[in-house]
Amino acid sequence: KIVPVIMAGGKGTRLWPLSRAAAPKQFIQFIGDKTLFQETLARVSDPALYEAPVVLTNEEFRFLVAEQARELDHALKAILLEPVARNTAPAVAAAAALIADLFGKDVIMHVLGSDYEIVADQSYFDSVRAARETAASGKLVTFGINPTEPATGYGYIEGGEDLSAGAQTVKRFIEKPPLDKAKEMVAAGGFYWNSGMFMFQVGALLAEMRNYAPDVVAAAGEAVAKATRDLDFTRLDPQSFAKAPSISIDYAIMEKTANAAVVPSPFKWSDLGSWDSVWKTGTRDPNGNVATANTTLVNSRNSLVMSHGVHLAVQGMEDVAVIASEDAVYVGKLKDSQSVGDLVKTLAALP
Ligand code: GDD
Ligand code: MG
């Protein structure tokens, strides 16, 4: 069986004000009746395919994780708590060390982000099985999404030779390219977006991490060896974990390894990284608007209007995002969605 590893420690500042420091986007309900973290849990709930998941998160989100899992009655193998945020490479390395202890080095882990929407139909589980088969041969496996635009917020994967199970070797992995490079790759064809999910045999991942990120594995391994347990929580040793550099798995390993594979994946995938992607993913009315129930739109088009609090009335607007939480409102052009994170930095600087 596969051990799911759910990464749920990001900050999600571009989705302010619904995504907040105290409860970032993975713990928020955007579309549908579950939070993104709960949707991710639901995707790994088949006991024929999966063990109970290991959840990676920051110390401060531990109760959100425990409570949201309990709401679904979803048992967790462990909640691994990072004392400081060090991005995804140290977190995944710590999960690998823990899983090697619990299940041995041959077990396969499925690493999942918790900030995108996936339609988990038959084709999704076909891709998962193909990835498992490919990972069992020691490859570090990615899921390749067909790019629809030259987005700069994703990793790009160039497919190489055919392997079995429909997978391909990876010629190059380019994390978050500049726009001109992204345009070239989309125009050239043969490139996929990295979905943000990975399938690894634990031993193969640790070996590759020792090659390309020895300081990351050393710090994470020590943090697991000295971890303390209390209830469902496994607390990584703070002094050891703090020695890890802050780097994502994409930059630390996937860009460097010569041992990666990609499973071209036809399932429906949308990143929910910014308000324009929420608008693209949502169900649009005939005027092109995506709106929650407690809103009124007049003479407005192609806009995203969401409220988790007050009633919002919007008149004569186009291509805008109007987002209200219980205590803050954001109004901006959808095309400026990528820079909401900078706005949040300005807000944080206020006295
Ligand atoms: N536990 C933990 N600790 N989780 C983290 C941390 C951390 O320090 N930092 C981020 N995460 C979680 C986020 O909550 C999210 O679910 C996932 O890890 C990915 O992190 P992001 O920060 O959202 O990465 P990204 O969106 O910029 O890029 C990644 O995802 C893209 C697809 O959505 C990369 O893998 C790209 O290559 C990929 O295309
Ligand atoms: Mg993301």
Side-chain angles (χ1 to χ4, degrees):
K1 284 205 256 184
I2 305 170
V3 182
V5 173
I6 301 179
M7 305 184 287
K11 293 189 163 60
T13 52
R14 281 173 303 170
L15 294 184
W16 189 87
L18 293 193
S19 176
R20 303 300 279 263
K25 61 179 170 181
Q26 60 269 30
F27 304 115
I28 303 279
Q29 235 169 278
F30 283 96
I31 305 156
D33 59 353
K34 292 195 189 79
T35 68
L36 293 177
F37 170 64
Q38 289 177 320
E39 286 184 15
T40 310
L41 275 179
R43 282 198 292 277
V44 296
S45 58
D46 177 2
L49 197 56
Y50 287 111
E51 301 280 354
V54 172
V55 179
L56 294 169
T57 196
N58 198 274
E59 176 75 34
E60 49 182 317
F61 308 140
R62 65 189 184 282
F63 294 123
L64 283 168
V65 165
E67 207 173 284
Q68 295 198 356
R70 201 176 318 121
E71 264 172 35
L72 295 190
D73 248 328
H74 205 298
L76 302 178
K77 185 78 191 171
I79 303 174
L80 205 49
L81 299 180
E82 298 148 44
V84 281
R86 284 289 183 270
N87 212 323
T88 52
V92 172
L98 180 78
I99 291 168
D101 285 348
L102 295 173
F103 297 95
K105 291 205 163 176
D106 291 338
V107 79
I108 307 278
M109 60 193 255
H110 183 179
V111 177
L112 306 100
S114 50
D115 62 339
Y116 29 80
E117 289 260 327
I118 282 177
V119 178
D121 54 9
Q122 188 62 42
S123 81
Y124 170 76
F125 287 103
D126 288 346
S127 296
V128 168
R129 284 190 195 89
R132 172 174 64 178
E133 188 180 327
T134 309
S137 73
K139 292 278 180 204
L140 309 190
V141 184
T142 57
F143 295 78
I145 307 295
N146 270 322
T148 50
E149 54 179 334
T152 54
Y154 305 142
Y156 283 70
I157 300 165
E158 185 176 9
E161 288 111 59
D162 289 338
L163 298 164
S164 61
Q168 298 168 1
T169 59
V170 169
K171 267 199 214 158
R172 275 187 299 165
F173 184 110
I174 303 122
E175 178 66 4
K176 299 195 173 73
L179 183 61
D180 54 338
K181 197 128 193 256
K183 282 185 177 156
E184 268 172 40
M185 290 188 279
V186 172
F191 285 87
Y192 303 97
W193 282 340
N194 175 30
S195 74
M197 292 195 298
F198 306 94
M199 195 78 79
F200 305 125
Q201 188 180 57
V202 172
L205 172 67
L206 286 170
E208 218 50 353
M209 282 197 142
R210 277 193 287 271
N211 283 337
Y212 297 110
D215 42 353
V216 171
V217 243
E222 190 184 296
V224 170
K226 295 188 182 166
T228 54
R229 298 207 54 171
D230 108 68
L231 304 171
D232 301 336
F233 303 119
T234 302
R235 283 201 165 74
L236 293 165
D237 177 60
Q239 253 139 37
S240 317
F241 196 71
K243 286 191 254 172
S246 180
I247 187 166
S248 77
I249 181 108
D250 318 280
Y251 286 115
I253 305 299
M254 301 315 297
E255 276 200 338
K256 302 202 171 105
T257 179
N259 197 25
V262 57
V263 171
S265 297
F267 56 81
K268 225 177 148 247
W269 175 93
S270 9
D271 182 67
L272 289 180
S274 53
W275 291 125
D276 57 338
S277 58
V278 174
W279 174 74
K280 275 185 205 133
T281 308
T283 310
R284 273 160 274 175
D285 71 14
N287 294 317
N289 297 311
V290 175
T292 54
N294 48 351
T295 60
T296 306
L297 279 76
V298 176
N299 245 337
S300 295
R301 297 193 307 151
N302 301 329
S303 293
L304 176 71
V305 181
M306 294 181 80
S307 175
H308 280 191
V310 292
H311 193 97
L312 282 177
V314 173
Q315 188 173 34
M317 302 301 281
E318 257 182 65
D319 309 313
V320 294
V322 183
I323 316 289
S325 69
E326 269 150 35
D327 62 353
V329 179
Y330 167 79
V331 181
K333 297 198 174 91
L334 275 173
K335 72 170 178 50
D336 294 333
S337 297
Q338 291 300 326
S339 43
V340 177
D342 300 329
L343 170 76
V344 172
K345 281 187 203 130
T346 314
L347 286 167
L350 285 178

